[in-house]
Amino acid sequence: METKIFKKEEIPEAVELLKKGELVAFPTETVYGLGALATDEKAVKSVYAAKGRPSDNPLIVTVSDEEMMSRFVDEVPERAKKLIKHFWPGPLTIILFVKKGTLPTAVTGGLPTAAFRCPNDELTRELISQLDNPIVGPSANTSTKPSPTTAQHVYHDLNGKIAGIIDNGPTKIGLESTIVDLSVATPTVLRPGEITPEEISAVLGEEVLMNKDTTQTKGVPKAPGMKYRHYAPSAPVYIVDKEEDFQKIPHGSDIGVAALSSVLDKIESSNKFDLGNSIDEAAHNLFGALRFFDNENQIHEIYVQGFSKGAISAAYMNRLNKSAAGHHFKVE
Ligand code: TXA
Ligand code: MG
């Protein structure tokens, strides 16, 4: 299969492909997603196959607005209405109980709930509203690899496996959406993202929990996707927590280092990846950095700067910890 790159004016062509059950990758403000008609069980199953993703991991249902979402729930709860009014379109995914029989089990992974998201990308919302039906939207990467932040990343992973990619340039945020579970008594953030629990709490006017162990809550898997090794290049990744420790890491042609410009300026290393000038820029560039080193065969170890301050640092460290399997660089 030839994977076609679609521009803005070719959206109707992408709509026709999706209607036929084909897969089309789409841009969002966070990362690129892999789209298939959410109500077409066969199309949804082919998403798991293209990504090589375990099928117990449910998929996000991507909608163009609240009205489209309301077709898949019995009632939109007040809390959801508040969050939608404030954050949509935007990087907040909301878990709600789903109306029985409206979505295939391939989407929900058999859970009584579904994850709804309305991305802030004009091309994608145009695509979904022309389709008049939601699309599933997992990140458009091969399972376990870093999420794609450019159409080229998607092409690298899925060329020949999907019908097309809608290219709208590099994504703005670079880390996936915040996921908040509204199917439980106290709203709970299952995956940190640019929108923080504090911001959600301020809009709801009530307490919001942050799920520390996102793999398991009382024996029930929460955000099942969070339990797998993720965002992982082939070479091991180490988190460097203190700027001064970059002076002590090994250097050489087989070592990759990703850090802020100001840190890179001070170190010796043949393979540097500039994460930019701020934590927000670093968040935007993290997955690109991991992919860059993954494509360089001679790299045997990767050292990446950690951050403890800034609104996005929880989301950044959550992804970095997964790619590093929790390994921090320690001075001997
Ligand atoms: O920013 C994003 O959210 C991107 C873009 C493409 O929209 N999408 C994305 O999808 O990150 P994915 O499939 O890579 O991650 C979705 C996460 C998974 O960890 C999955 O387990 C969880 O959402 N999830 C989906 N449905 C759920 C449900 N009903 N309850 C709990 N977690 C759910
Ligand atoms: Mg993903």
Side-chain angles (χ1 to χ4, degrees):
M1 175 191 298
E2 202 192 321
T3 301
K4 201 178 160 188
I5 308 287
F6 295 112
K7 298 270 174 257
K8 191 176 179 170
E9 47 296 344
E10 294 165 317
I11 297 283
E13 216 182 305
V15 170
E16 287 315 309
L17 286 169
L18 286 165
K19 275 188 189 158
K20 283 194 251 161
E22 302 278 353
L23 307 186
V24 176
F26 58 92
T28 81
E29 74 280 47
T30 58
V31 301
Y32 275 75
L34 182 53
L37 204 60
T39 47
D40 179 343
E41 174 128 47
K42 200 161 156 248
V44 172
K45 283 190 171 151
S46 62
V47 168
Y48 287 101
K51 280 181 61 84
R53 175 177 174 124
S55 59
D56 67 335
N57 192 2
L59 302 173
I60 290 180
V61 179
T62 317
V63 296
S64 53
D65 54 23
E66 181 180 342
E67 183 283 317
M68 187 179 279
M69 183 190 81
S70 71
R71 303 177 203 169
F72 299 88
V73 295
D74 288 316
E75 197 189 352
V76 182
E78 275 312 309
R79 282 167 170 159
K81 283 187 184 155
K82 280 190 193 168
L83 294 182
I84 287 168
K85 191 156 176 247
H86 202 270
F87 294 110
W88 279 15
L92 183 70
T93 297
I94 299 174
I95 310 269
L96 296 175
F97 285 106
V98 68
K99 186 178 190 168
K100 272 209 176 112
T102 58
L103 288 168
T105 14
V107 174
T108 58
L111 297 171
T113 54
F116 294 96
R117 157 146 162 77
C118 176
N120 190 8
D121 183 284
E122 267 182 50
L123 299 192
T124 290
R125 273 187 297 131
E126 180 57 33
L127 174 83
I128 300 170
S129 58
Q130 281 189 26
L131 194 62
D132 194 27
N133 198 88
I135 54 178
V136 288
S139 47
N141 51 288
T142 299
S143 196
T144 80
K145 292 296 174 192
S147 297
T149 53
T150 64
Q152 289 68 35
H153 293 162
V154 181
Y155 195 82
H156 175 272
D157 282 14
L158 299 175
N159 177 29
K161 295 185 177 167
I162 63 175
I165 304 169
I166 299 170
D167 188 356
N168 199 13
T171 64
K172 288 193 199 72
I173 299 171
L175 301 176
E176 304 87 345
S177 60
T178 305
I179 301 181
V180 63
D181 191 353
L182 296 182
S183 73
V184 286
T186 309
T188 305
V189 170
L190 303 182
R191 178 174 75 182
E194 193 197 53
I195 296 172
T196 62
E198 292 75 24
E199 286 176 88
I200 298 170
S201 172
V203 170
L204 291 180
E206 63 180 310
E207 184 193 15
V208 171
L209 301 176
M210 177 69 216
N211 201 351
K212 287 275 185 305
D213 176 6
T214 34
T215 58
Q216 204 89 28
T217 306
K218 294 189 197 93
V220 183
K222 283 287 179 183
M226 306 294 281
K227 74 183 179 216
Y228 302 105
R229 181 158 188 246
H230 228 122
Y231 315 112
S234 317
V237 176
Y238 299 94
I239 302 169
V240 182
D241 295 293
K242 293 195 208 111
E243 272 190 37
E244 58 269 29
D245 284 351
F246 276 101
Q247 302 299 331
K248 296 163 195 149
I249 62 170
H251 48 83
S253 56
D254 60 340
I255 305 289
V257 182
L260 294 183
S261 311
S262 54
V263 173
L264 290 182
D265 283 347
K266 287 181 242 150
I267 60 164
E268 234 186 289
S269 165
S270 19
N271 293 288
K272 299 181 186 181
F273 191 101
D274 191 345
L275 289 178
N277 295 309
S278 64
I279 163 111
D280 288 327
E281 285 182 30
H284 175 85
N285 292 323
L286 176 66
F287 289 151
L290 295 171
R291 276 179 176 269
F292 173 79
F293 289 130
D294 202 24
N295 294 335
E296 303 278 301
N297 290 330
Q298 84 281 12
I299 299 291
H300 292 131
E301 286 179 359
I302 305 168
Y303 293 85
V304 184
Q305 186 167 0
F307 295 95
S308 54
K309 293 197 185 77
I312 200 144
S313 65
Y316 177 94
M317 291 308 287
N318 171 272
R319 308 312 190 274
L320 181 54
N321 258 307
K322 285 194 168 52
S323 71
H327 294 125
H328 291 251
F329 171 70
K330 285 195 188 71
V331 183
E332 305 276 300

